[in-house]
């Protein structure tokens, strides 16, 4: 599990593939990989990946077709940076919200506003995802835990406001209109919405 509190940015050093597996190697800031073992989970760009090889500050991850199809990691290239977070451990402070790193899909940046001491991102998602999105709800964008400010059902666009610290430590400040981001909705929200939907279907079938 993760919290959505990004610890920094990791840089892609190499990308290769064999059969249907993409081998992705990233270099992390100093000391981040201390204690990291093979098989450990790390959130890369909001995607839960398993460390398969560790060489000092460099860590290799293997990505299967499902991950490549549903996330932005399929476009990884040397030099590209991704937000990272190591898995939460018992006793950690949960400053964001609980995340699984199981990305539900991607969204497209439709507007970036940087004026009057505020930084706003507007993102469009598929209508099927928008059913889990509402104002004041939680969402993870490229792994970063954020609060939704506005949600427009008609356009499937929602907005988030970013504070300077978030802009400093994450890759979100580099986003431009047309860029795609990984989206994970709040697990509790997802459970509630889907439970209500099932209850409504059951009620209709009885009637």
């Amino acid at each position: 599990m993760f919290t959505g509190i990004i610890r920094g940015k990791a840089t892609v050093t190499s990308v290769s593939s064999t059969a249907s597996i993409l081998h992705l190697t990233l270099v992390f800031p100093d000391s981040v990989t201390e204690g990291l073992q093979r098989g450990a989970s790390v959130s890369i760009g909001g995607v839960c990946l398993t460390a398969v090889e560790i060489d000092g500050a460099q860590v290799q991850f293997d990505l299967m077709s499902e991950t490549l199809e549903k996330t932005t990691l399929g476009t990884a290239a040397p030099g590209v940076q991704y937000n990272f977070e190591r898995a939460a451990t018992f006793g950690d402070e949960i400053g964001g919200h609980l995340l699984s790193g199981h990305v539900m899909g991607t969204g497209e940046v439709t507007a970036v506003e940087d004026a009057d001491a505020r930084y706003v991102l507007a993102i469009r998602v598929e209508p099927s995802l928008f059913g889990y999105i509402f104002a004041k709800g939680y969402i993870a964008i490229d792994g970063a835990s954020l609060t939704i400010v506005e949600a427009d059902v008609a356009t499937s666009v929602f907005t988030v406001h970013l504070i300077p610290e978030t802009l400093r430590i994450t890759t979100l400040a580099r986003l431009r209109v047309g860029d795609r981001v990984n989206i994970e909705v709040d697990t509790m929200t997802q459970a509630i919405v889907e439970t209500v939907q099932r209850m409504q279907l059951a009620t209709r079938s009885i009637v």
Side-chain angles (χ1 to χ4, degrees), residues 66-188:
E66 177 74 3
T67 301
L68 299 177
E69 291 170 5
K70 288 196 172 181
T71 75
T72 62
L73 297 186
T75 59
V80 173
Q81 292 189 314
Y82 291 99
N83 298 325
F84 75 83
E85 179 189 355
R86 288 187 57 174
T89 59
F90 287 110
D92 284 350
E93 178 180 348
I94 307 299
H97 70 283
L98 290 178
L99 299 168
S100 64
H102 297 162
V103 170
M104 297 180 68
T106 61
E108 180 185 0
V109 177
T110 61
V112 178
E113 179 187 341
D114 182 10
D116 298 326
R118 70 174 192 167
Y119 197 100
V120 183
L121 288 178
I123 298 172
R124 179 187 294 114
V125 296
E126 293 295 327
S128 59
L129 269 181
F130 205 80
Y132 304 105
I133 294 173
F134 56 91
K136 306 307 178 185
Y138 290 125
I139 197 161
I141 300 176
D142 283 348
S145 173
L146 298 168
T147 300
I148 299 164
V149 176
E150 297 177 333
D152 186 347
V153 176
T155 60
S156 295
V157 172
F158 69 90
T159 61
V160 292
H161 293 187
L162 307 181
I163 63 173
E165 177 63 9
T166 300
L167 295 172
R168 181 188 71 82
I169 203 167
T170 73
T171 61
L172 301 183
R174 303 176 187 177
L175 292 174
R176 298 293 179 265
V177 172
D179 288 347
R180 301 202 70 82
V181 294
N182 294 320
I183 299 291
E184 181 183 349
V185 299
D186 176 51
T187 303
M188 185 175 295

Side-chain angles (χ1 to χ4, degrees), residues 18-99:
T18 55
S20 59
I21 299 177
L22 182 74
H23 307 291
L24 182 64
T25 302
L26 299 98
V27 62
F28 291 79
D30 292 342
S31 77
V32 168
T33 58
E34 287 183 6
L36 185 69
Q37 300 179 348
R38 291 180 62 178
S41 296
V42 183
S43 172
I44 302 297
V47 184
C48 179
L49 299 179
T50 300
V52 296
E53 296 289 345
I54 303 170
D55 182 10
Q58 293 200 99
V59 184
Q60 179 184 312
F61 305 91
D62 289 347
L63 286 65
M64 304 291 285
S65 58
E66 177 74 3
T67 301
L68 299 177
E69 291 170 5
K70 288 196 172 181
T71 75
T72 62
L73 297 186
T75 59
V80 173
Q81 292 189 314
Y82 291 99
N83 298 325
F84 75 83
E85 179 189 355
R86 288 187 57 174
T89 59
F90 287 110
D92 284 350
E93 178 180 348
I94 307 299
H97 70 283
L98 290 178
L99 299 168

